[in-house]
Amino acid sequence: MQYKTNLLGPVVPIYLTLTISAFIGIVDVCLAGRIGENVQAGVGLADQFLFFAALLGMGLSSGVASCVARAIGARQYDLARQYIKEGILLSAFLGMLSALIATTVAPLILPLFSSSAISLPASHYLLLCAPGNLPYSIVICQTAALRAIGSARLGVFQWLIITATSTLPPLIAGHFFPDTKACTLEIIAVSWDVGAFVGAAAGAYFLKAGLSSFEADFGPSDLLFTNARRRMRELVMIGLPVAATEACWILSNFLIYGLLGSMDSAANAQAAWTIRLKVDEIACTTPLLALSLTAQTICGHKIGAKDLDGARKATQSIVLCSLLLMTVVASAIALLADPIARSLSTSTTTITLTKPLLYASLSILPMMSVYMTIFGALEGAGYTRMPMLAIIGGLFGIRFPLAWLLSGTLGQGMTGIITAVCLSHAAVLVAAIALYKQRSWEHWHAEHVPAS
């Protein structure tokens, strides 16, 4: 069987997968908001630490997606199977490591980014959710592998199972048993842990089903075994820059939380930033990631098949689709900023601070649409170092220093932070376009062929 790529075929299942997974966070924030502003801000802050602890596993999943996609494109199906097996083994190890970090190191750092009223519920939530980082690391590796072999639709079912298991218990408890409000945070966290373990088991079944259509073709099994160290090294070397890139985004959010914590109405400002992150996650980041991961998968397949011109044209087409889509989404968010803010908070101060953050989408989202798609194509080629450096420069060379200067020293508050965020996105966009024009696709293929 030869795998054939369809330019935008993977977008819908990838988008559904990301939307379903983001729904978990939306439910958690809404339920936490019913308890109080401090708990809502604490859950948002703790989520950043949980994601930070899982970064190596998230980066590894990009390495798995890139390597498996190029192996599938080259019709080396046994090689793809080996990449998946070794990726899952590495993800299990990294999942245990991230759970350990979340339970030991993160609670000690939380007070640096928030007041005691926020850090206490955040720390409690963090400790309860930490065990779920082990299966979560495996799940994101499985989902990436399903996408790379052309079975992204099975990833949708995997995340439907996780979401149902994670969200139904707290929703049912909150609706039918009002007396459980005092332990809502515990129900949310434990349900997530159970959902992640169930999702990992479902992912193993779906992977077996997805791989069944690819015949054995590679040759002697001892050759695959001999090259295991090389393949694992490739997974790690591609994945590490992606993990570092994600770390930069999360660390940037930590620093913004810290700046907001020094403002008047700190809890409201941090709650507003939490709402903005969640709106971005489901309405903006989700479709952008879907298009970026589609570019990653298709470019991986085409480069593996040595169709370099096809990879280039696919990237350009997806960039255009992404730009058009995000222009529409940004306009909708700006128009609906007031009802969105009111639906996610009952505090007048929080609503007032949230709306300008949502209005900024008009300038931010079109820029993100272009550079995230370009970076996705580069990841599919196994080229992840320069995107990482572009993100680092934008966030820590421009965003945080400028936000600190404008919001604190010059006293512009939330307006200063919004200005800094917009300018940092503009800088990353310029870097992405320059990188795309200067980098040779032929060089990518020569540098990142599937290991055999």
Side-chain angles (χ1 to χ4, degrees):
M1 172 183 175
Q2 182 174 3
Y3 181 80
K4 297 181 180 180
T5 56
N6 176 15
L7 182 58
L8 293 179
V11 169
V12 173
I14 292 174
Y15 174 74
L16 289 175
T17 299
L18 294 170
T19 301
I20 292 166
S21 63
F23 181 75
I24 299 173
I26 291 290
V27 170
D28 290 353
V29 168
C30 289
L31 291 175
R34 296 176 184 176
I35 305 173
E37 295 294 322
N38 290 339
V39 176
Q40 187 178 52
V43 167
L45 185 58
D47 277 343
Q48 299 301 308
F49 276 91
L50 287 169
F51 291 144
F52 191 80
L55 277 180
L56 290 176
M58 294 169 70
L60 176 67
S61 71
S62 291
V64 170
S66 176
C67 292
V68 172
R70 284 181 282 125
I72 292 292
R75 304 184 66 181
Q76 296 179 348
Y77 304 131
D78 280 355
L79 178 61
R81 290 186 178 92
Q82 289 302 116
Y83 273 127
I84 292 171
K85 291 177 183 177
E86 289 151 6
I88 290 175
L89 286 175
L90 284 172
S91 69
F93 170 75
L94 294 175
M96 289 188 289
L97 181 62
S98 69
L100 180 63
I101 293 172
T103 55
T104 57
V105 179
L108 301 177
I109 302 176
L110 268 171
L112 300 177
F113 297 92
S114 63
S115 64
S116 60
I118 294 173
S119 63
L120 287 176
S123 180
H124 183 52
Y125 179 77
L126 185 64
L127 290 171
L128 290 172
C129 286
N133 270 25
L134 169 57
Y136 175 67
S137 182
I138 296 173
V139 163
I140 57 178
C141 179
Q142 292 170 332
T143 305
L146 287 169
R147 183 174 69 249
I149 66 175
S151 297
R153 66 189 184 283
L154 296 178
V156 176
F157 294 120
Q158 181 186 24
W159 275 97
L160 278 172
I161 292 170
I162 295 170
T163 302
T165 309
S166 300
T167 59
L168 287 180
L171 287 172
I172 291 172
H175 183 74
F176 293 102
F177 305 99
D179 294 339
T180 61
K181 181 178 179 180
C183 58
T184 296
L185 203 61
E186 289 78 6
I187 297 174
I188 292 172
V190 173
S191 297
W192 159 247
D193 293 336
V194 174
F197 277 102
V198 172
Y205 173 79
F206 290 141
L207 267 176
K208 183 177 180 180
L211 287 167
S212 62
S213 59
F214 295 101
E215 69 271 15
D217 69 289
F218 192 81
S221 59
D222 59 338
L223 185 59
L224 287 171
F225 179 78
T226 302
N227 288 325
R229 181 179 296 181
R230 178 183 173 186
R231 287 191 301 274
M232 286 193 174
R233 182 179 181 275
E234 186 177 9
L235 291 173
V236 172
M237 294 307 294
I238 293 174
L240 276 178
V242 177
T245 301
E246 294 297 326
C248 290
W249 285 112
I250 295 174
L251 181 56
S252 173
N253 283 329
F254 286 159
L255 295 174
I256 296 297
Y257 270 113
L259 289 176
L260 294 172
S262 63
M263 293 170 52
D264 295 335
S265 304
N268 298 104
Q270 290 181 329
W273 187 256
T274 298
I275 292 172
R276 180 253 177 187
L277 291 178
K278 290 304 177 182
V279 170
D280 278 0
E281 183 179 347
I282 194 166
C284 316
T285 307
T286 302
L288 279 178
L289 277 176
L291 288 161
S292 176
L293 293 174
T294 298
Q296 180 194 75
T297 302
I298 291 177
C299 285
H301 289 153
K302 290 186 178 296
I303 288 172
K306 300 183 180 180
D307 182 9
L308 307 182
D309 186 58
R312 188 184 299 107
K313 290 179 179 178
T315 301
Q316 294 169 356
S317 298
I318 299 173
V319 165
L320 179 59
C321 291
S322 181
L323 179 59
L324 293 174
L325 175 63
M326 283 302 104
T327 300
V328 174
V329 171
S331 301
I333 290 175
L335 288 172
L336 300 173
D338 184 70
I340 290 172
R342 292 183 184 279
S343 67
L344 294 175
S345 179
T346 57
S347 167
T348 302
T349 304
T350 300
I351 292 169
T352 301
L353 292 170
T354 300
K355 288 194 288 185
L357 288 170
L358 299 180
Y359 293 143
S361 299
L362 282 171
S363 62
I364 292 173
L365 294 189
M367 293 188 287
M368 289 183 66
S369 68
V370 176
Y371 74 69
M372 284 187 65
T373 306
I374 290 175
F375 288 165
L378 298 181
E379 289 176 8
Y383 188 68
T384 55
R385 293 186 295 274
M386 290 306 294
M388 173 192 69
L389 294 176
I391 295 294
I392 290 175
L395 295 180
F396 301 113
I398 296 176
R399 176 176 297 188
F400 180 70
L402 192 58
W404 176 80
L405 176 65
L406 295 176
S407 67
T409 304
L410 299 181
Q412 293 187 17
M414 187 67 79
T415 302
I417 288 177
I418 293 172
T419 302
V421 169
C422 291
L423 291 176
S424 66
H425 282 296
V428 177
L429 172 64
V430 171
I433 293 174
L435 179 61
Y436 179 80
K437 288 185 175 180
Q438 293 174 5
R439 198 66 180 173
S440 166
W441 290 81
E442 286 74 15
H443 178 78
W444 293 340
H445 180 70
E447 190 177 45
H448 299 291
V449 294
S452 59

